[in-house]
Amino acid sequence: MKREGKRKMAATTVYRPVRFDRVTIDDRFWAPKIELNRAVTIPTAYDKCKETGRIDAFRQDWKPGQEPVPHVFWDSDVAKWIEAASFSLATTPDPALDAQLDELIVLIASAQQEDGYLNTHYTAVEPENRWTNLRDNHELYCAGHLIEAAVAHYEATGKRGLLQVACRYADYIGTVFGTGPGQKRGYCGHEEIELALVKLYRTTGEPRYLQLGSYFVEERGREPHYFDLEAAQRGEEPGRLTHHVREYSQSHKPVREQDRVVGHSVRAMYLYAAMADLAAEQDDDSLYAACERLWTHLCTKHMYLTGGIGASAANEGFTNDYELPNETAYCETCASIGLIMWNHRMLQRRTDGKYADVMERVLYNGAISGISMDGKQYFYGNPLASYRTSVPKRGDKTMPDYYRRSDWFGCSCCPPNLSRLLASLGQYAYSTRADELVVHLYMQGEAEFDLDGRRVRVIVETDYPWDGDIRLRLAMDEPTRFALKLRIPGWCEAYELAVNGSPAADGAGPERGYESIDREWSAGDEIRLRLHMPVERVYAHPDVRHNIGHAALQRGPLVYCVEQADHDVPVRSLLLPRETELAPVFEPELLGGVVTLRGSAVCADRGGWEHTLYRTSRPLLTACAITAVPYYSWANREPGEMKVWLPES
Amino acid sequence: MKREGKRKMAATTVYRPVRFDRVTIDDRFWAPKIELNRAVTIPTAYDKCKETGRIDAFRQDWKPGQEPVPHVFWDSDVAKWIEAASFSLATTPDPALDAQLDELIVLIASAQQEDGYLNTHYTAVEPENRWTNLRDNHELYCAGHLIEAAVAHYEATGKRGLLQVACRYADYIGTVFGTGPGQKRGYCGHEEIELALVKLYRTTGEPRYLQLGSYFVEERGREPHYFDLEAAQRGEEPGRLTHHVREYSQSHKPVREQDRVVGHSVRAMYLYAAMADLAAEQDDDSLYAACERLWTHLCTKHMYLTGGIGASAANEGFTNDYELPNETAYCETCASIGLIMWNHRMLQRRTDGKYADVMERVLYNGAISGISMDGKQYFYGNPLASYRTSVPKRGDKTMPDYYRRSDWFGCSCCPPNLSRLLASLGQYAYSTRADELVVHLYMQGEAEFDLDGRRVRVIVETDYPWDGDIRLRLAMDEPTRFALKLRIPGWCEAYELAVNGSPAADGAGPERGYESIDREWSAGDEIRLRLHMPVERVYAHPDVRHNIGHAALQRGPLVYCVEQADHDVPVRSLLLPRETELAPVFEPELLGGVVTLRGSAVCADRGGWEHTLYRTSRPLLTACAITAVPYYSWANREPGEMKVWLPES
């Protein structure tokens, strides 16, 4: 197979993530979440797709005047659901789900047109307008998710039905778009198909899919600008097409020239993920360098402490450097997931703990905050502070109260995105190449690898992220030499490492975030890594004006917040004295079992304020108890105030 | 005249503001602003009215398809301009302006319909829809401003042309609206006509205008709700008419039952001003009590330190208690002016310094911040912090930078509102009744009063607000007994008072904010009041979460802010050490001559932050100079950051 040849060639410099179905997670943090996703979230999401008409749209029997009208991006929600369900099936057999998928795939296949085209909106609602508004209407985005779904279903089940549909569609797309005569030099306003085509290439070994993905990435932002030409063809004012709209879709300049994250954050993440994929597949250092520049800009100017990105609701994306307001932080759940995807890809080209640090930060905080403890409700945005909603909307019947999760959304990209993340979580924990086994994330369970043809198993015991004590045992048929690389998280300032009871760290500290032990390993070898996990105060860059004079609490990979449910005094008037120490306490009954941080703080006293809004004497500060809970777990109790950043007193 | 009878009856309990044309202001604070208003702002505003079609709309020659379409509230801008120009004419003769007014009034009179109706939009654009959407379309609001303009022009010039137009219109309105058979039980969605009708009554002595104004106030918020009935008649969904829409226009319940400020802030101020007028005219304690409840709620829960009100742009109005965000503070200039109008009226019923304190706070800060130093640019909103504008708007061609003033607005209510305030400023300084002369505000100049038929002049020498030393000299033909009441501002914690060189305060402190000296006064008597005016730090109620841990700077009536133009370090990262003392320095060349506050502060240091957005060590604080300027003077230099509330370190 060509694919094997390709992968082998790159194998000396490029890592390969472990397949998630070769990882078993049986800890008390992730395993219950993954099971909830399988047992509750995935079935509930299917019901929502069904209720809202997303499934039935594939029947293609919509008639003018009928409600609902199949929306331009509905197909992508169903595709992501298929991907999540397929991932789940790959680790946990479920004949009913298997049958449900088969039936749905038959329905989807029936909607494919003669020429391979497949889009419920354009086929049924406006067939005359196919490919006329790539900028806004998500046609190739939907195709990309369909391709990802097809790859996932094939990899999970070995069934080729949806894969054939996806290949036919991709082949047709390849005839329409490109630089050849008569082809449209277009690309999608919402990136997604690019990374999907790389996946399709990896699964099928067909280089044309890689080339098509590469074309979409390289064509982006070139002049004459495709979205201008397309708008003119629609008879629209070119004036509408401004620099900002171009930045919105990262098409303001060719991708290799980009060095600032701009525009819609999910779009950006999917593009950068594809760029990282292509840099790996094509061994392209200059494309990787562009990724690296964008990464540095994002992580030093635009990322919330929770790993959330995209500060503004107005463009669902990036604004000015250091513009990180807490209460209005948009931080779309999909953007968090996209950030994980991108960093995971960066990590396959170069083992650098900075990527894994970001991946871990967002995974444990701003991504999984997106789903409720019962697995049925979602955040679209993930703010870092919440107070009583203050702005009454004209025409609203109900007085809003606090920020809450929703059962589903009109634009429901986030729910199935969370499902596919959780159902395939294991892949993020390990990478390998011929002579290396790299551990990025620590999760209790087992994983199995092929290292240059030899099978190696790793058995992990840990209570991470609640505790930093990690034991890894190795199992293999015969002694094997390889470098075991263990990530030392960026948050960790002290650790001990031992192999079979003997200290194994050379004292030089980790190299680019990893301790490497290169030796001949045998079955039964035990590695013990103790990551010290004190409660830390974190401070933001002084240009983040929203956090001047404030500190946040972090322990291990977890960012904490204070919620009203744990406090008698209003959370809004809590201050953290500089000298206060907070103690971690595991509370098994709370929020599914979490380590809280407890201690004493101060609260601005309301005494003497009965009749005035302003006065010239400073408010008195009275001592009070404070309890911080992991950010990801907020908004699972009675609605109330929440904040991540606390003023210091 | 009935009016005289009425006024006499109430004279023992009700104060009368001095007529502004009997006050001369010749200080270095207000006099240049008033002259700029006369020489620059008023002519420029006329040009804007002309350029935008607001003047020509009175020609009534609009034809369908023509642009611009006379807008439903255009008439009110022209009316407020007439009011401002008339006020100016009353203090400073100007034949050209006089002629310009005459010409405009002829034009306006020509637009009056047979039945007295006068509205450029409804007459020309949709004559069939007269009085069909009182809730949204400002018809009676425009009538109110026309009435105010007419009263002002008549009082300034003695010419009755516009007054007759206004009376005819008011008489017609009186036939349409009321509780009689066949009358509409309506009232305007935007209050204004109520207070205008009280003015018309006071000028003409015709009680029917007072009764009509009273009707509009009392009918508001009654069931069945007029806006519901009206919407049903338009064939609109009653569902659109929610509790919030009602609160938006303060029609959620009868006004006497209201105790919380809600909805659109300008609407609210104009209503409350009318309620205070009616309480005075009708000697109505229960209506006054409703005003008092609303006042307490506003001033203890909803007023910015600058006197700005209406925190939210979404409803141009009030939100939750203590919801006072700084950067997004809406604080419409018109709402500030409305707040002055309301408090001025409250003060005429009862001499209580708390009203004058609010009036002074908003006048010196959040109202006059609305106009630029060159008299040509305006703020619609008056935020308390400004940073680089962060949210790119889709479709915008230009990258926004900082919050700036504008030459004019599509909805241009604020510019002529500022003009009429400045042109009639003297009226706010003094009130009288038969045996009392009350000084509310201190402005260098002269004022003339009739006290029970005797003429008394007051000559004031002071450099207020830059200095708290005030000398008042009295002039009169013969010795006269009256109580001279001098306001001791709420911000003033120490003062000395002397009459002809001898201490005159009894040491018991002011009564309800005023020192009263009741004696026989003679020409040449001199009163000296020294208000101590130290630099103060002000703190906000702990429930104002936006200001927890922050202090603001105030000296005398002026609230200060820090602007980027005075600092090398970014204003966003300044902190004010608790022990720092700032010193007042008069700087004649700066911003037209202002007292700045100078001293040392600290700034979060950027050292060590080059490659990271977060870290576990607290940012170092380095000493730096700080200069605060009066809030009203901000945004008159190069655009940059600004903040009123500073974190304390």
Side-chain angles (χ1 to χ4, degrees):
Chain A
M1 269 171 70
K2 280 175 183 171
R3 171 194 173 202
E4 284 306 307
K6 180 74 185 172
R7 297 308 292 271
K8 269 220 163 64
M9 189 197 76
T12 49
T13 56
V14 174
Y15 293 83
R16 182 186 301 215
V18 65
R19 282 179 58 121
F20 68 87
D21 55 4
R22 298 184 76 184
V23 179
T24 309
I25 301 169
D26 65 2
D27 67 346
R28 59 176 175 170
F29 188 88
W30 288 112
K33 292 178 175 55
I34 293 167
E35 173 56 18
L36 188 72
N37 183 49
R38 190 194 68 77
V40 175
T41 310
I42 290 175
T44 310
Y46 181 86
D47 293 346
K48 287 289 178 188
C49 285
K50 181 76 184 167
E51 281 165 25
T52 57
R54 283 163 165 82
I55 303 287
D56 291 332
F58 285 99
R59 301 197 188 286
Q60 304 272 293
D61 54 1
W62 180 85
K63 295 283 172 301
Q66 203 171 308
E67 288 291 339
V69 183
H71 192 274
V72 292
F73 49 61
W74 270 9
D75 293 2
S76 67
D77 296 333
V78 177
K80 267 189 287 188
W81 182 85
I82 291 174
E83 198 183 353
S86 299
F87 289 159
S88 180
L89 214 51
T91 55
T92 313
D94 183 335
L97 183 60
D98 194 16
Q100 190 181 17
L101 276 165
D102 288 345
E103 188 186 342
L104 177 57
I105 287 166
V106 167
L107 176 63
I108 291 173
S110 76
Q112 188 161 36
Q113 305 297 295
E114 286 285 307
D115 55 7
Y117 186 77
L118 208 178
N119 181 296
T120 61
H121 173 84
Y122 273 101
T123 304
V125 182
E126 42 175 337
E128 70 283 10
N129 290 333
R130 190 194 286 189
W131 309 131
T132 57
N133 190 349
L134 297 186
R135 189 189 67 196
D136 303 333
N137 284 353
H138 298 74
E139 237 166 328
L140 289 167
Y141 166 88
C142 286
H145 277 302
L146 194 72
I147 291 167
E148 283 203 275
V151 168
H153 190 252
Y154 165 69
E155 302 266 1
T157 64
K159 298 178 189 174
R160 307 188 76 93
L162 193 57
L163 188 65
Q164 282 164 354
V165 168
C167 288
R168 265 186 73 201
Y169 194 6
D171 290 340
Y172 162 67
I173 290 168
T175 66
V176 175
F177 295 97
T179 56
Q183 287 186 305
K184 293 176 192 292
R185 293 190 65 152
Y187 44 86
C188 194
H190 196 317
E191 301 91 328
E192 155 60 24
I193 194 167
E194 300 82 357
L195 70 85
L197 285 165
V198 177
K199 273 195 182 174
L200 190 60
Y201 157 70
R202 286 174 177 165
T203 289
T204 63
E206 293 291 350
R208 65 176 181 276
Y209 298 134
L210 184 67
Q211 286 153 13
L212 185 58
S214 177
Y215 156 77
F216 281 131
V217 167
E218 302 290 349
E219 188 62 25
R220 190 165 211 91
R222 298 203 179 278
E223 294 291 345
H225 202 282
Y226 186 76
F227 296 160
D228 280 2
L229 303 175
E230 188 194 56
Q233 287 199 334
R234 291 195 304 269
E236 283 175 17
E237 290 284 330
R240 266 205 65 214
L241 294 167
T242 63
H243 187 64
H244 288 141
V245 172
R246 291 186 178 185
E247 289 196 329
Y248 181 75
S249 59
Q250 297 81 42
S251 66
H252 55 301
K253 53 170 89 165
V255 300
R256 288 169 189 274
E257 297 169 23
Q258 298 190 20
D259 53 9
R260 298 173 56 83
V261 296
V262 295
H264 187 272
S265 54
V266 183
R267 283 169 164 79
M269 291 307 105
Y270 288 6
L271 170 63
Y272 307 157
M275 287 164 65
D277 274 341
L278 290 166
E281 290 298 339
Q282 300 174 331
D283 196 15
D284 185 335
D285 280 337
S286 82
L287 194 55
Y288 188 80
C291 289
E292 182 67 20
R293 287 193 302 272
L294 291 161
W295 188 94
T296 300
H297 182 240
L298 175 74
C299 295
T300 61
K301 309 268 195 300
H302 286 274
M303 187 177 65
Y304 283 92
L305 187 63
T306 55
I309 56 170
S312 167
N315 64 344
E316 297 194 311
F318 302 106
T319 60
N320 290 341
D321 290 355
Y322 303 110
E323 179 78 25
L324 295 168
N326 293 304
E327 195 176 339
T328 59
Y330 195 67
C331 297
E332 183 179 336
T333 302
C334 282
S336 290
I337 293 167
L339 184 57
I340 293 171
M341 288 162 51
W342 179 31
N343 277 279
H344 184 226
R345 282 159 170 81
M346 294 297 278
L347 209 43
Q348 308 315 315
R349 178 140 179 98
R350 189 159 72 104
T351 297
D352 190 329
K354 70 182 188 180
Y355 304 132
D357 284 344
V358 170
M359 187 171 78
E360 185 182 68
R361 177 181 294 284
V362 62
L363 176 63
Y364 279 90
N365 301 289
I368 57 166
S369 56
I371 190 160
S372 63
M373 268 181 62
D374 68 2
K376 291 179 182 173
Q377 289 205 311
Y378 311 93
F379 278 149
Y380 199 102
N382 295 270
L384 276 75
S386 177
Y387 304 99
R388 189 173 285 279
T389 307
S390 59
V391 181
K393 290 191 181 68
R394 258 184 113 162
D396 257 17
K397 277 217 164 65
T398 52
M399 189 62 191
D401 63 351
Y402 293 93
Y403 195 80
R404 293 174 187 241
R405 292 189 180 80
S406 303
D407 293 342
W408 194 247
F409 307 98
C411 170
S412 212
C413 45
C414 301
N417 222 348
L418 277 162
S419 270
R420 65 177 185 156
L421 172 75
L422 288 166
S424 64
L425 189 67
Q427 68 181 312
Y428 299 102
Y430 307 93
S431 296
T432 58
R433 62 180 185 184
D435 53 353
E436 284 184 26
L437 197 171
V438 193
V439 188
H440 305 300
L441 302 176
Y442 300 103
M443 298 171 180
Q444 178 166 293
E446 295 189 21
E448 200 175 72
F449 309 88
D450 293 316
L451 289 179
D452 215 7
R454 299 184 189 204
R455 207 170 67 111
V456 174
R457 274 201 309 142
V458 176
I459 300 99
V460 183
E461 284 178 58
T462 182
D463 196 21
Y464 199 91
W466 307 126
D467 186 84
D469 195 359
I470 301 148
R471 289 163 197 265
L472 301 98
R473 277 185 297 116
L474 300 179
M476 60 199 87
D477 294 333
E478 53 189 305
T480 303
R481 184 174 187 103
F482 60 91
L484 179 67
K485 286 186 162 180
L486 300 172
R487 173 169 161 261
I488 309 302
W491 53 258
C492 178
E493 291 175 10
Y495 61 95
E496 292 99 38
L497 179 63
V499 174
N500 299 327
S502 305
D506 61 7
E511 193 190 332
R512 287 201 319 241
Y514 290 78
E515 280 281 359
S516 182
I517 312 169
D518 190 348
R519 53 172 272 180
E520 189 173 79
W521 296 98
S522 305
D525 281 343
E526 184 173 294
I527 303 98
R528 186 165 182 191
L529 175 62
R530 298 180 70 153
L531 303 170
H532 293 217
M533 200 179 264
V535 178
E536 301 271 15
R537 289 199 192 187
V538 184
Y539 300 88
H541 190 289
D543 279 321
V544 183
R545 65 180 188 273
H546 318 85
N547 298 338
I548 283 282
H550 286 62
L553 298 165
Q554 190 171 314
R555 180 173 175 270
L558 294 170
V559 172
Y560 279 73
C561 68
V562 286
E563 267 199 302
Q564 195 57 60
D566 300 303
H567 298 88
D568 295 328
V569 300
V571 156
R572 62 184 172 277
S573 48
L574 283 173
L575 296 97
L576 205 54
R578 291 183 173 208
E579 64 284 3
T580 294
E581 298 265 341
L582 299 184
V585 183
F586 187 76
E587 306 197 33
E589 301 304 316
L590 186 67
L591 295 163
V594 294
V595 168
T596 61
L597 310 182
R598 290 182 178 270
S600 64
V602 292
C603 175
D605 195 278
R606 279 155 184 73
W609 283 102
E610 294 74 16
H611 307 295
T612 188
L613 194 47
Y614 304 104
R615 73 180 194 198
T616 52
S617 60
R618 197 172 279 126
L620 294 176
L621 300 177
T622 51
C624 64
I626 187 171
T627 301
V629 296
Y631 172 77
Y632 79 80
S633 70
W634 85 279
N636 277 298
R637 293 175 291 175
E638 62 273 27
E641 300 186 352
M642 181 279 289
K643 62 193 299 191
V644 169
W645 292 94
L646 296 167
E648 288 194 323
S649 78
Chain B
M1 268 173 69
K2 281 176 182 169
R3 173 193 173 201
E4 284 306 307
K6 179 72 186 173
R7 296 307 293 269
K8 270 219 161 64
M9 189 195 77
T12 49
T13 55
V14 174
Y15 293 84
R16 184 185 301 214
V18 65
R19 282 178 58 121
F20 67 88
D21 55 5
R22 298 185 75 183
V23 180
T24 309
I25 300 169
D26 66 1
D27 65 348
R28 59 175 173 170
F29 188 89
W30 288 113
K33 291 176 177 55
I34 292 167
E35 173 55 18
L36 187 72
N37 183 48
R38 191 195 67 77
V40 175
T41 310
I42 290 175
T44 309
Y46 181 86
D47 293 345
K48 287 289 177 189
C49 285
K50 181 74 184 166
E51 281 166 24
T52 56
R54 281 163 166 84
I55 303 287
D56 291 331
F58 286 98
R59 301 198 188 285
Q60 304 271 294
D61 54 2
W62 180 85
K63 295 285 173 299
Q66 204 172 307
E67 288 291 339
V69 183
H71 192 272
V72 292
F73 48 62
W74 270 7
D75 293 1
S76 66
D77 296 333
V78 177
K80 266 188 288 189
W81 181 84
I82 292 173
E83 197 182 355
S86 301
F87 288 158
S88 180
L89 214 49
T91 55
T92 314
D94 183 335
L97 183 60
D98 194 15
Q100 189 182 19
L101 276 165
D102 288 345
E103 188 185 342
L104 177 57
I105 286 166
V106 168
L107 176 63
I108 291 173
S110 77
Q112 189 161 34
Q113 305 298 295
E114 286 286 309
D115 55 6
Y117 186 76
L118 208 178
N119 182 296
T120 60
H121 173 84
Y122 274 101
T123 306
V125 182
E126 42 174 337
E128 70 282 12
N129 290 332
R130 192 193 285 188
W131 308 132
T132 57
N133 190 351
L134 298 186
R135 188 188 68 196
D136 303 333
N137 284 354
H138 297 75
E139 235 166 331
L140 290 166
Y141 166 88
C142 286
H145 276 302
L146 193 73
I147 291 166
E148 283 202 275
V151 169
H153 190 252
Y154 166 70
E155 302 266 2
T157 64
K159 299 177 190 175
R160 307 188 76 94
L162 193 57
L163 187 64
Q164 283 164 353
V165 168
C167 288
R168 267 186 71 203
Y169 194 7
D171 290 340
Y172 162 68
I173 290 168
T175 66
V176 176
F177 295 97
T179 56
Q183 287 186 305
K184 293 177 192 292
R185 294 191 65 153
Y187 44 88
C188 195
H190 195 317
E191 301 91 328
E192 154 63 23
I193 194 166
E194 300 81 358
L195 69 86
L197 286 165
V198 178
K199 274 196 182 174
L200 190 60
Y201 156 71
R202 287 175 177 164
T203 289
T204 63
E206 293 292 350
R208 64 176 181 276
Y209 300 134
L210 184 66
Q211 285 153 14
L212 185 58
S214 176
Y215 156 77
F216 281 132
V217 167
E218 302 289 350
E219 188 63 25
R220 191 165 210 90
R222 297 204 180 278
E223 295 291 345
H225 203 281
Y226 186 75
F227 296 160
D228 281 0
L229 303 174
E230 188 194 56
Q233 287 198 335
R234 291 195 303 270
E236 283 174 17
E237 290 284 331
R240 267 204 65 213
L241 294 166
T242 64
H243 187 62
H244 289 140
V245 172
R246 291 185 178 185
E247 290 195 329
Y248 181 74
S249 59
Q250 297 80 41
S251 66
H252 55 302
K253 53 170 88 166
V255 301
R256 289 170 188 274
E257 297 169 23
Q258 297 189 20
D259 54 7
R260 299 173 56 84
V261 296
V262 295
H264 188 272
S265 53
V266 182
R267 282 169 165 79
M269 292 307 104
Y270 288 5
L271 169 64
Y272 307 157
M275 288 164 65
D277 274 340
L278 290 167
E281 290 298 339
Q282 301 174 331
D283 196 15
D284 185 335
D285 282 336
S286 81
L287 195 54
Y288 188 80
C291 289
E292 182 68 20
R293 287 193 302 271
L294 290 162
W295 188 94
T296 300
H297 182 239
L298 176 74
C299 296
T300 60
K301 309 269 196 299
H302 285 274
M303 187 177 64
Y304 283 92
L305 188 63
T306 56
I309 56 169
S312 167
N315 64 344
E316 298 194 311
F318 302 105
T319 59
N320 290 341
D321 288 356
Y322 303 110
E323 179 78 24
L324 296 167
N326 293 303
E327 194 175 340
T328 58
Y330 195 66
C331 294
E332 183 178 338
T333 302
C334 282
S336 290
I337 294 167
L339 183 58
I340 293 171
M341 289 162 50
W342 178 32
N343 277 279
H344 184 227
R345 283 159 169 80
M346 294 297 279
L347 210 43
Q348 308 315 315
R349 180 138 178 98
R350 189 158 73 102
T351 298
D352 190 327
K354 70 181 185 180
Y355 304 131
D357 284 344
V358 170
M359 187 171 78
E360 185 181 67
R361 176 181 295 284
V362 62
L363 177 62
Y364 279 90
N365 299 290
I368 56 166
S369 56
I371 189 159
S372 62
M373 268 182 62
D374 68 2
K376 292 179 182 173
Q377 290 206 308
Y378 310 92
F379 278 148
Y380 199 102
N382 295 269
L384 275 77
S386 176
Y387 304 99
R388 189 172 285 280
T389 308
S390 60
V391 181
K393 290 192 179 68
R394 260 184 111 159
D396 258 17
K397 276 218 165 61
T398 53
M399 188 63 192
D401 62 350
Y402 292 94
Y403 195 79
R404 293 172 186 243
R405 291 188 179 82
S406 303
D407 294 340
W408 195 249
F409 306 98
C411 171
S412 213
C413 45
C414 301
N417 222 347
L418 277 162
S419 270
R420 65 175 185 157
L421 171 75
L422 288 166
S424 63
L425 189 67
Q427 68 181 314
Y428 299 103
Y430 307 94
S431 298
T432 57
R433 61 180 188 185
D435 53 352
E436 284 185 25
L437 196 172
V438 193
V439 188
H440 305 301
L441 302 177
Y442 299 103
M443 299 172 182
Q444 179 166 290
E446 296 189 21
E448 201 174 71
F449 309 89
D450 292 318
L451 288 179
D452 215 8
R454 301 188 187 200
R455 210 171 64 112
V456 174
R457 275 201 309 141
V458 176
I459 301 99
V460 182
E461 284 177 57
T462 182
D463 196 21
Y464 199 90
W466 307 126
D467 187 84
D469 195 359
I470 302 149
R471 288 162 198 267
L472 300 99
R473 276 185 299 116
L474 299 178
M476 61 199 85
D477 294 333
E478 53 188 306
T480 304
R481 183 178 187 98
F482 60 90
L484 178 67
K485 286 188 162 179
L486 300 172
R487 172 170 161 260
I488 308 302
W491 54 259
C492 179
E493 290 174 10
Y495 62 95
E496 292 98 38
L497 179 62
V499 175
N500 299 327
S502 305
D506 61 7
E511 192 189 334
R512 286 202 319 240
Y514 290 78
E515 279 282 0
S516 181
I517 312 170
D518 190 349
R519 53 172 272 177
E520 190 174 78
W521 296 98
S522 305
D525 281 343
E526 183 173 295
I527 303 99
R528 185 166 183 190
L529 176 61
R530 299 181 67 153
L531 303 171
H532 294 217
M533 200 180 265
V535 178
E536 301 271 15
R537 290 198 191 187
V538 185
Y539 300 89
H541 192 289
D543 279 322
V544 183
R545 64 181 189 273
H546 318 85
N547 299 338
I548 283 282
H550 286 62
L553 297 165
Q554 189 171 315
R555 180 172 175 270
L558 295 170
V559 173
Y560 279 72
C561 68
V562 287
E563 267 199 302
Q564 195 58 60
D566 300 304
H567 298 87
D568 296 328
V569 300
V571 156
R572 63 184 171 276
S573 47
L574 284 172
L575 296 97
L576 205 55
R578 293 184 172 207
E579 66 283 3
T580 294
E581 297 266 342
L582 299 184
V585 184
F586 187 76
E587 307 198 31
E589 302 303 317
L590 186 68
L591 295 163
V594 295
V595 168
T596 61
L597 310 182
R598 292 181 177 269
S600 63
V602 292
C603 176
D605 194 277
R606 279 156 183 74
W609 282 103
E610 294 74 16
H611 306 295
T612 187
L613 193 47
Y614 304 105
R615 73 182 195 197
T616 52
S617 60
R618 197 173 279 126
L620 293 176
L621 300 178
T622 51
C624 64
I626 186 171
T627 301
V629 296
Y631 172 78
Y632 79 80
S633 70
W634 86 278
N636 278 298
R637 293 176 290 175
E638 62 273 28
E641 299 186 354
M642 181 279 289
K643 62 195 297 188
V644 169
W645 291 96
L646 296 166
E648 288 193 323
S649 75

